[in-house]
Amino acid sequence: MYLVTLPSVAGRQLPFFLAAEEWIATHMPADKSYFFAWQVAPTVICGRNQDIAAEVDLDFCREHGIEVWRRKSGGGAVYADGNNIMFSYVGPRTSVQDAFGIYTSKVVAALRSLGLDATASGRNDICIGNRKVAGNAFMQAADRNIVHGTMLFDADTAAMSQALTPARAKLESNKVKSVPARITTVRRHRPGLTLGQFMECVISHVCDNGTISIPAAALPEIEAIERTYRRREFLMDGKIHSGRQTGRIHSAGTVNPCVTICDGIIQDVRIEGDFFCGDQLAHTLATLRGMPPDITHIRKIFGEETLIAGLSNDTLARIIAEAAG
């Protein structure tokens, strides 16, 4: 895996770094893997399929200068600031599970080399002991995998707990009452370790093929991608149209169908939550428009390729049919 350095990163906001991931996926050789680390000012990052108003205390964020953005990957909302580090991995296309496995195994090895009891946990987390130290999300772009996540070197738990307002079902599934109660930090376990030393350790375990620098000439292309994250239509895309909440499914995450019906015909279908999926889900849901909400027809449209990681297409068809009813 190659370490990537980016040009002109000072003062950049989160959309720039997400755009850089997409640029790497579309412009760098597809048979190789790439990694880079970055930091942002206080920011909440919501998943592609989430309702921002339900996941974030927007008033608190406005009052305290905390930025709120949406990413194109699935998963849940996270809080980032100068206390933690964001990691990005771009590699050849595989399944969601394999993409997480390739990336998290390297990060876990780095943490364990520091004497930490680190393990990959659940769908997409990395834990020290029984507490989460990193959460990761997945998307596909240009037939490549992108995995990115937040590594809690340290944490402003007060700001985090105020900014994030996750659904009660998600907290109960982790047997905790608040976001800070289920996390830990690297610094808590290794108080004498500096951020620079930690990054050197991670890079030495994750990157073994040298360094590649993205040229400044690529900045206009990266910034053009960045603008797609800044569109109001994209940021507010999480509005619920109609339907009912399904809740949390252990193997997949929160899955909430939003189905609009008119005269017994499907007008629109959206699935909101912190699950992981490829681009195929949106394309497939679009083909349901104009159909009756019949589970047999829905299941036939879905085909055999899994649309949501950890959830069978049979179950997904049932969830949508029930929400439409």
CSV table of all heavy atoms in Angstrom, one decimal, residues 44-50 55 71 73-79 123-124 132 135-137 150 164 166 170 248 254 273-276:
chain,number,residue,atom,x,y,z
A,44,VAL,N,-18.9,17.5,12.1
A,44,VAL,CA,-19.7,16.2,12.2
A,44,VAL,C,-19.9,15.7,10.7
A,44,VAL,O,-20.2,16.5,9.8
A,44,VAL,CB,-21.1,16.5,12.8
A,44,VAL,CG1,-22.0,15.3,12.6
A,44,VAL,CG2,-21.0,16.9,14.3
A,45,ILE,N,-19.7,14.4,10.5
A,45,ILE,CA,-19.8,13.8,9.2
A,45,ILE,C,-20.9,12.8,9.2
A,45,ILE,O,-20.8,11.8,10.0
A,45,ILE,CB,-18.5,13.2,8.8
A,45,ILE,CG1,-17.3,14.1,9.0
A,45,ILE,CG2,-18.5,12.7,7.3
A,45,ILE,CD1,-16.4,13.7,10.2
A,46,CYS,N,-21.9,13.0,8.5
A,46,CYS,CA,-23.1,12.1,8.4
A,46,CYS,C,-22.9,11.1,7.3
A,46,CYS,O,-22.4,11.5,6.2
A,46,CYS,CB,-24.4,12.9,8.3
A,46,CYS,SG,-24.8,13.8,9.8
A,47,GLY,N,-23.5,9.9,7.4
A,47,GLY,CA,-23.5,8.9,6.4
A,47,GLY,C,-24.4,9.3,5.2
A,47,GLY,O,-25.4,10.1,5.4
A,48,ARG,N,-24.2,8.7,4.1
A,48,ARG,CA,-25.0,9.0,2.9
A,48,ARG,C,-26.5,8.8,3.1
A,48,ARG,O,-27.2,9.6,2.5
A,48,ARG,CB,-24.5,8.0,1.8
A,48,ARG,CG,-25.2,8.0,0.5
A,48,ARG,CD,-24.6,7.0,-0.4
A,48,ARG,NE,-25.3,6.9,-1.7
A,48,ARG,CZ,-24.9,6.2,-2.7
A,48,ARG,NH1,-23.8,5.5,-2.6
A,48,ARG,NH2,-25.6,6.2,-3.9
A,49,ASN,N,-26.9,7.9,3.9
A,49,ASN,CA,-28.3,7.5,4.0
A,49,ASN,C,-29.0,8.1,5.2
A,49,ASN,O,-30.1,7.6,5.5
A,49,ASN,CB,-28.5,6.0,3.9
A,49,ASN,CG,-27.8,5.4,2.7
A,49,ASN,OD1,-28.2,5.7,1.5
A,49,ASN,ND2,-26.8,4.7,2.9
A,50,GLN,N,-28.3,9.0,5.9
A,50,GLN,CA,-28.9,9.4,7.2
A,50,GLN,C,-29.7,10.7,7.1
A,50,GLN,O,-29.5,11.5,6.2
A,50,GLN,CB,-27.7,9.6,8.2
A,50,GLN,CG,-27.1,8.3,8.7
A,50,GLN,CD,-26.1,8.6,9.8
A,50,GLN,OE1,-25.1,9.3,9.7
A,50,GLN,NE2,-26.5,8.0,11.0
A,55,GLU,N,-29.8,13.0,13.5
A,55,GLU,CA,-28.6,12.5,14.0
A,55,GLU,C,-27.7,13.6,14.7
A,55,GLU,O,-26.8,13.3,15.4
A,55,GLU,CB,-27.8,11.9,12.9
A,55,GLU,CG,-28.4,10.7,12.2
A,55,GLU,CD,-28.5,9.5,13.1
A,55,GLU,OE1,-27.6,9.4,14.0
A,55,GLU,OE2,-29.3,8.6,12.8
A,71,ARG,N,-21.1,12.6,3.8
A,71,ARG,CA,-20.2,11.9,2.9
A,71,ARG,C,-21.0,11.0,2.0
A,71,ARG,O,-22.3,10.8,2.2
A,71,ARG,CB,-19.2,11.1,3.7
A,71,ARG,CG,-19.9,10.0,4.7
A,71,ARG,CD,-18.8,9.3,5.5
A,71,ARG,NE,-19.5,8.2,6.2
A,71,ARG,CZ,-20.0,8.3,7.5
A,71,ARG,NH1,-19.9,9.5,8.1
A,71,ARG,NH2,-20.5,7.3,8.1
A,73,SER,N,-20.4,7.8,1.5
A,73,SER,CA,-20.3,6.4,2.1
A,73,SER,C,-21.5,6.2,3.1
A,73,SER,O,-22.0,7.1,3.6
A,73,SER,CB,-19.0,6.1,2.7
A,73,SER,OG,-18.8,7.1,3.8
A,74,GLY,N,-21.7,4.9,3.4
A,74,GLY,CA,-22.8,4.6,4.4
A,74,GLY,C,-22.2,4.7,5.8
A,74,GLY,O,-21.2,5.3,6.0
A,75,GLY,N,-22.9,4.1,6.7
A,75,GLY,CA,-22.5,4.2,8.1
A,75,GLY,C,-23.1,5.4,8.9
A,75,GLY,O,-24.0,6.0,8.4
A,76,GLY,N,-22.7,5.6,10.1
A,76,GLY,CA,-23.3,6.5,11.0
A,76,GLY,C,-22.5,7.8,11.1
A,76,GLY,O,-21.4,8.0,10.5
A,77,ALA,N,-23.1,8.8,11.8
A,77,ALA,CA,-22.5,10.1,12.0
A,77,ALA,C,-21.4,10.0,13.0
A,77,ALA,O,-21.4,9.3,14.0
A,77,ALA,CB,-23.6,11.1,12.5
A,78,VAL,N,-20.3,10.7,12.7
A,78,VAL,CA,-19.1,10.8,13.6
A,78,VAL,C,-18.7,12.2,13.8
A,78,VAL,O,-19.0,13.1,13.0
A,78,VAL,CB,-17.9,10.0,13.1
A,78,VAL,CG1,-18.3,8.5,13.0
A,78,VAL,CG2,-17.5,10.5,11.7
A,79,TYR,N,-18.0,12.5,14.9
A,79,TYR,CA,-17.5,13.8,15.2
A,79,TYR,C,-16.0,13.7,15.1
A,79,TYR,O,-15.3,12.8,15.5
A,79,TYR,CB,-17.9,14.2,16.6
A,79,TYR,CG,-17.2,15.5,17.1
A,79,TYR,CD1,-17.8,16.7,16.8
A,79,TYR,CD2,-16.1,15.5,17.9
A,79,TYR,CE1,-17.3,17.9,17.2
A,79,TYR,CE2,-15.5,16.6,18.3
A,79,TYR,CZ,-16.1,17.9,18.0
A,79,TYR,OH,-15.6,19.0,18.4
A,123,ARG,N,-19.3,-4.7,12.4
A,123,ARG,CA,-19.3,-4.5,10.9
A,123,ARG,C,-18.1,-3.7,10.5
A,123,ARG,O,-17.5,-4.0,9.4
A,123,ARG,CB,-20.6,-3.8,10.5
A,123,ARG,CG,-21.9,-4.6,10.7
A,123,ARG,CD,-23.0,-3.8,10.2
A,123,ARG,NE,-23.1,-2.5,10.9
A,123,ARG,CZ,-23.5,-1.3,10.3
A,123,ARG,NH1,-23.7,-1.3,9.1
A,123,ARG,NH2,-23.6,-0.2,11.1
A,124,ASN,N,-17.7,-2.7,11.3
A,124,ASN,CA,-16.8,-1.7,10.8
A,124,ASN,C,-15.9,-1.0,11.8
A,124,ASN,O,-15.3,0.0,11.5
A,124,ASN,CB,-17.6,-0.7,10.0
A,124,ASN,CG,-18.6,0.0,10.8
A,124,ASN,OD1,-19.4,-0.6,11.6
A,124,ASN,ND2,-18.7,1.4,10.8
A,132,LYS,N,-14.8,1.3,21.6
A,132,LYS,CA,-14.5,1.7,20.2
A,132,LYS,C,-13.5,2.8,20.2
A,132,LYS,O,-13.6,3.8,20.9
A,132,LYS,CB,-15.8,2.2,19.5
A,132,LYS,CG,-15.7,2.7,18.1
A,132,LYS,CD,-17.0,3.1,17.6
A,132,LYS,CE,-17.0,3.7,16.2
A,132,LYS,NZ,-18.4,4.0,15.7
A,135,GLY,N,-14.1,4.1,14.0
A,135,GLY,CA,-15.2,3.7,13.2
A,135,GLY,C,-14.9,4.0,11.8
A,135,GLY,O,-14.3,5.0,11.4
A,136,ASN,N,-15.4,3.1,10.9
A,136,ASN,CA,-15.0,3.2,9.5
A,136,ASN,C,-16.2,3.1,8.6
A,136,ASN,O,-17.2,2.5,9.0
A,136,ASN,CB,-14.0,2.1,9.1
A,136,ASN,CG,-12.8,2.2,10.0
A,136,ASN,OD1,-11.9,3.1,9.8
A,136,ASN,ND2,-12.6,1.3,10.9
A,137,ALA,N,-16.2,3.7,7.4
A,137,ALA,CA,-17.3,3.6,6.5
A,137,ALA,C,-16.7,3.2,5.1
A,137,ALA,O,-15.5,3.3,4.8
A,137,ALA,CB,-18.0,5.0,6.4
A,150,THR,N,-12.5,7.4,11.4
A,150,THR,CA,-12.0,8.3,12.5
A,150,THR,C,-11.2,7.5,13.5
A,150,THR,O,-11.8,6.6,14.1
A,150,THR,CB,-13.2,9.0,13.2
A,150,THR,OG1,-14.0,9.7,12.2
A,150,THR,CG2,-12.7,10.0,14.2
A,164,LEU,N,-23.7,15.0,18.6
A,164,LEU,CA,-24.3,13.8,18.0
A,164,LEU,C,-25.5,13.4,18.8
A,164,LEU,O,-25.5,13.4,20.1
A,164,LEU,CB,-23.3,12.7,18.0
A,164,LEU,CG,-22.0,12.9,17.2
A,164,LEU,CD1,-21.2,11.6,17.3
A,164,LEU,CD2,-22.4,13.2,15.7
A,166,PRO,N,-27.6,10.2,18.3
A,166,PRO,CA,-28.0,9.0,17.7
A,166,PRO,C,-29.3,8.4,18.2
A,166,PRO,O,-29.7,8.7,19.3
A,166,PRO,CB,-26.8,8.1,18.0
A,166,PRO,CG,-26.3,8.6,19.3
A,166,PRO,CD,-26.4,10.1,19.2
A,170,LYS,N,-29.7,2.5,18.6
A,170,LYS,CA,-28.3,2.3,18.3
A,170,LYS,C,-27.5,2.2,19.6
A,170,LYS,O,-26.7,1.3,19.8
A,170,LYS,CB,-27.7,3.3,17.4
A,170,LYS,CG,-26.3,3.1,17.0
A,170,LYS,CD,-25.9,4.0,15.9
A,170,LYS,CE,-24.4,3.7,15.5
A,170,LYS,NZ,-24.0,4.4,14.3
A,248,ARG,N,-33.0,-1.3,14.2
A,248,ARG,CA,-31.7,-1.7,14.0
A,248,ARG,C,-31.7,-3.2,13.8
A,248,ARG,O,-32.3,-4.0,14.6
A,248,ARG,CB,-30.9,-1.4,15.3
A,248,ARG,CG,-29.4,-1.6,15.0
A,248,ARG,CD,-28.6,-0.7,16.0
A,248,ARG,NE,-27.1,-0.9,15.7
A,248,ARG,CZ,-26.5,-0.2,14.8
A,248,ARG,NH1,-27.2,0.7,14.1
A,248,ARG,NH2,-25.2,-0.4,14.5
A,254,THR,N,-28.8,0.2,11.3
A,254,THR,CA,-30.1,0.8,11.2
A,254,THR,C,-30.6,0.8,9.8
A,254,THR,O,-29.9,1.3,8.9
A,254,THR,CB,-30.1,2.2,11.8
A,254,THR,OG1,-29.6,2.1,13.2
A,254,THR,CG2,-31.5,2.8,11.8
A,273,GLY,N,-30.3,5.1,7.1
A,273,GLY,CA,-29.7,4.4,8.2
A,273,GLY,C,-28.2,4.5,8.1
A,273,GLY,O,-27.6,5.2,7.3
A,274,ASP,N,-27.6,3.6,8.9
A,274,ASP,CA,-26.1,3.6,9.0
A,274,ASP,C,-25.5,2.4,8.4
A,274,ASP,O,-24.4,2.0,8.7
A,274,ASP,CB,-25.6,3.8,10.4
A,274,ASP,CG,-26.0,2.7,11.4
A,274,ASP,OD1,-26.7,1.8,10.9
A,274,ASP,OD2,-25.6,2.8,12.5
A,275,PHE,N,-26.3,1.7,7.5
A,275,PHE,CA,-25.8,0.5,6.8
A,275,PHE,C,-24.8,0.8,5.7
A,275,PHE,O,-24.5,2.0,5.4
A,275,PHE,CB,-27.0,-0.2,6.2
A,275,PHE,CG,-27.8,0.7,5.2
A,275,PHE,CD1,-27.5,0.8,3.9
A,275,PHE,CD2,-28.9,1.4,5.7
A,275,PHE,CE1,-28.1,1.7,3.0
A,275,PHE,CE2,-29.6,2.2,4.8
A,275,PHE,CZ,-29.2,2.4,3.5
A,276,PHE,N,-24.2,-0.2,5.1
A,276,PHE,CA,-23.3,-0.1,4.1
A,276,PHE,C,-23.8,-0.7,2.8
A,276,PHE,O,-24.5,-1.7,2.8
A,276,PHE,CB,-21.9,-0.7,4.4
A,276,PHE,CG,-21.3,-0.1,5.6
A,276,PHE,CD1,-21.3,-0.7,6.8
A,276,PHE,CD2,-20.7,1.2,5.5
A,276,PHE,CE1,-20.7,-0.1,7.9
A,276,PHE,CE2,-20.1,1.8,6.6
A,276,PHE,CZ,-20.1,1.1,7.8
